[in-house]
């Protein structure tokens, strides 16, 4: 990838109109913001621009309003919070109120950049999408990456291109099919790939183990079998926390027996977390690593009965001070925060899908658009 233009590359900002694409897709309930982290994380970029004399207009999507005005997704609560933190900037209404945003409509782009001199993309979490506000403005305006985007690229491409070794990646979450590309890409660079979460059962089944009623993706059995046969350095769990068919996830009152088991899970039982032996083994690997990338929970961490594996991974990462620790966004970032370890990681990505795609491909549509826009500076 060519050099990514940063804020300094934009030159003199005094009196310039600058459009900033931020990711203010904050969690809302009943019109209230439950977590304003995404707003706070954009502040270094916004403050830099304001301090250097720019007139700043910010834009963002919020939720999935499907291309029409929907008051449930009004940007108003975000505007209120943003103005408490930084009253000097303007904020446009939810970009996704117009179908042109997701369709990357040229007329929508034209309206968006009307009156603007410069563009800054700081929305890492949306930069894997070829939406109008991500890939459109850099075609017409001198453009740069904001602080947040630049840091994500620096960290994620850094570990992809020159990690300190041993480099261990841990993948979890529910689906193998979501992670095919990233598994291949990681196997090119890691010393060990640890696989837990719901996705490990398709691998275990491919090895000939019984998995009971645990998650299975039949269509990926061959992929898993080929990968295991290739001698790739993949490590799978060898014990599990399981529940019988009377239980329901997240509902203690439903009954259901929770039991630790080894590799062969009988019919009627579902593997919902890695067991204590596997957690200890994975923890040992993390403790001896110099770079760890973690994406996807080891179990159904939202239910306390199945959170121990995920918690142990987050804790061992946080405790390994001589290791560069990176948490991919999405559920693993949520788990690291919930268990109180996020602050002790070197980097917690703000984009789940975007971080996986950047590691897989080494580039994203939003980043490529900025790199190409260099010619306009
Ligand atoms: P993903 O959306 O693919 O990143 O997966 C995240 C979800 O996977 C979380 O909500 C977890 O509850 C779920 N998950 C993790 N381990 C398991 C498992 N063993 N069985 C079912 N779901 C799981």
């Amino acid at each position: 990838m060519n050099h990514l233009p940063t804020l300094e590359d934009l030159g003199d900002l005094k009196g310039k109109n600058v459009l900033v694409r931020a990711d203010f897709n904050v969690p809302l309930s009943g019109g209230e913001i439950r977590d304003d982290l995404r707003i706070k994380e954009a502040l270094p970029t916004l403050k830099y621009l304001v301090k250097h004399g720019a007139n700043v207009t910010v834009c963002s999507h919020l939720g999935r309003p499907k291309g029409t005005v929907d008051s449930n997704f009004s940007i108003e609560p975000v505007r209120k919070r943003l103005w408490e933190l930084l009253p000097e900037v303007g904020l446009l209404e939810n970009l996704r109120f117009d179908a042109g945003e997701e369709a990357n409509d040229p007329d929508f782009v034209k309206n968006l950049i009307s009156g603007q001199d410069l563009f800054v993309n700081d929305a890492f979490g949306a930069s894997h999408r070829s939406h109008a506000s991500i890939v459109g403005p850099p075609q017409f305006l001198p453009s740069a990456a904001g602080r947040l985007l630049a840091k994500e690229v620096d960290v994620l491409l850094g570990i992809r291109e020159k990690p300190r070794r041993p480099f261990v990646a841990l993948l979890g979450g529910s689906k193998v099919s979501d992670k095919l590309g990233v598994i291949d890409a990681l196997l090119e660079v890691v010393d060990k790939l640890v696989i837990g979460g719901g996705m490990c059962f398709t691998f275990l089944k491919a090895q000939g183990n019984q998995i009971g009623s645990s998650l299975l993706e039949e269509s990926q059995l061959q992929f898993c079998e080929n990968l295991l046969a290739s001698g790739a350095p993949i490590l799978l769990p060898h014990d599990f926390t399981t529940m019988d068919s009377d239980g329901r996830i997240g509902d203690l009152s439903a009954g259901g027996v929770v039991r630790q088991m080894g590799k062969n899970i009988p019919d009627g039982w579902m593997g919902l977390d890695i067991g204590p032996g596997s957690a200890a083994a994975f923890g040992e690997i993390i403790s001896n690593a110099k770079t760890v990338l973690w994406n996807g929970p080891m179990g159904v961490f939202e239910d306390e009965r199945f959170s121990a594996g995920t918690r142990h991974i987050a804790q061992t990462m946080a405790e390994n001070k001589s290791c560069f620790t990176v948490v991919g966004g999405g559920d693993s970032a949520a788990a690291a925060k919930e268990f109180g370890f996020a602050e002790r990681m070197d980097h917690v990505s703000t984009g789940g899908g975007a971080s996986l795609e950047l590691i897989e491909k080494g580039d994203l549509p939003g980043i490529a658009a900025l790199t190409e826009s260099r010619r306009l500076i």
Side-chain angles (χ1 to χ4, degrees):
M1 198 180 73
N2 294 323
H3 172 68
L4 185 67
T6 55
L7 297 178
E8 285 73 15
D9 293 318
L10 292 175
D12 186 12
L13 295 166
K14 206 163 174 47
K16 295 274 172 62
N17 294 333
V18 183
L19 176 69
V20 179
R21 174 57 157 102
D23 180 1
F24 288 162
N25 188 26
V26 293
L28 289 172
S29 64
E32 294 288 315
I33 296 177
R34 276 193 287 118
D35 182 356
D36 64 0
L37 187 68
R38 289 195 167 173
I39 304 175
K40 287 191 177 141
E41 280 176 336
L43 291 179
T45 295
L46 300 179
K47 283 186 174 164
Y48 174 93
L49 296 169
V50 169
K51 189 175 138 210
H52 288 83
N55 308 311
V56 179
T57 305
V58 193
C59 61
S60 174
H61 72 287
L62 178 62
R64 294 178 183 271
K66 306 226 160 61
T68 52
V69 176
D70 178 342
S71 58
N72 291 319
F73 298 107
S74 161
I75 208 87
E76 207 44 52
V78 176
R79 185 176 285 135
K80 196 170 145 235
R81 183 69 186 122
L82 178 63
W83 284 354
E84 283 164 8
L85 297 163
L86 190 67
E88 297 92 337
V89 300
L91 178 64
L92 302 182
E93 189 41 279
N94 191 343
L95 291 165
R96 289 192 186 163
F97 279 1
D98 191 314
E101 163 66 355
E102 290 185 65
N104 191 14
D105 175 0
D107 287 335
F108 183 79
V109 174
K110 220 185 280 167
N111 277 337
L112 193 62
I113 62 169
S114 156
Q116 302 292 345
D117 301 309
L118 302 167
F119 174 68
V120 171
N121 181 358
D122 213 14
F124 176 69
S127 288
H128 57 316
R129 309 207 185 275
S130 295
H131 290 171
S133 64
I134 298 290
V135 295
Q139 293 170 41
F140 306 101
L141 300 177
S143 302
R147 295 282 187 249
L148 192 62
L149 180 65
K151 165 119 195 283
E152 294 274 9
V153 172
D154 202 37
V155 168
L156 296 168
L157 290 188
I159 60 168
R160 186 182 188 267
E161 279 150 25
K162 30 179 186 0
R164 286 203 300 144
R165 295 188 181 279
F167 176 16
V168 175
L170 294 104
L171 292 180
S174 54
K175 283 194 179 158
V176 183
S177 53
D178 286 349
K179 302 208 163 94
L180 300 177
V182 83
I183 289 175
D184 282 337
L186 284 172
L187 285 171
E188 298 273 313
V189 288
V190 296
D191 297 294
K192 214 166 236 118
L193 177 62
V194 176
I195 296 183
M199 65 188 280
C200 75
F201 296 102
T202 305
F203 283 91
L204 287 158
K205 173 98 177 169
Q207 267 183 341
N209 299 291
Q210 263 184 282
I211 60 163
S213 28
S214 308
L215 281 187
L216 170 67
E217 276 183 281
E218 292 269 2
S219 60
Q220 302 307 326
L221 274 171
Q222 195 59 54
F223 170 83
C224 294
E225 202 179 317
N226 294 347
L227 214 55
L228 293 167
S230 73
I234 292 177
L235 190 74
L236 296 167
H238 60 267
D239 65 343
F240 303 91
T241 303
T242 63
M243 183 163 68
D244 72 351
S245 54
D246 290 339
R248 273 194 301 273
I249 294 166
D251 183 0
L252 284 172
S253 63
V257 180
V258 174
R259 189 171 287 169
Q260 308 293 342
M261 283 184 192
K263 254 189 196 172
N264 280 305
I265 301 175
D267 286 346
W269 292 79
M270 194 175 179
L272 293 169
D273 191 13
I274 57 172
S278 304
F282 294 175
E284 180 83 19
I285 288 169
I286 292 170
S287 300
N288 292 317
K290 286 277 178 281
T291 306
V292 172
L293 168 70
W294 170 39
N295 193 300
M298 294 290 109
V300 182
F301 74 100
E302 301 92 335
D303 183 323
E304 206 180 307
R305 296 169 293 177
F306 312 111
S307 64
T310 303
R311 183 190 294 270
H312 190 70
I313 296 308
Q315 180 166 0
T316 354
M317 282 177 72
E319 284 171 357
N320 186 352
K321 296 213 173 55
S322 60
C323 178
F324 188 65
T325 48
V326 180
V327 183
D331 282 313
S332 12
K337 274 179 212 151
E338 188 182 318
F339 301 144
F341 298 117
E343 305 274 292
R344 286 153 69 192
M345 304 291 182
D346 289 295
H347 183 72
V348 179
S349 176
T350 52
S355 62
L356 283 184
E357 198 173 318
L358 182 56
I359 286 169
E360 179 186 336
K361 300 182 178 155
D363 207 354
L364 296 178
I367 294 168
L370 292 178
T371 316
E372 279 158 30
S373 83
R374 254 198 111 64
R375 65 194 153 77
L376 300 174
I377 291 182

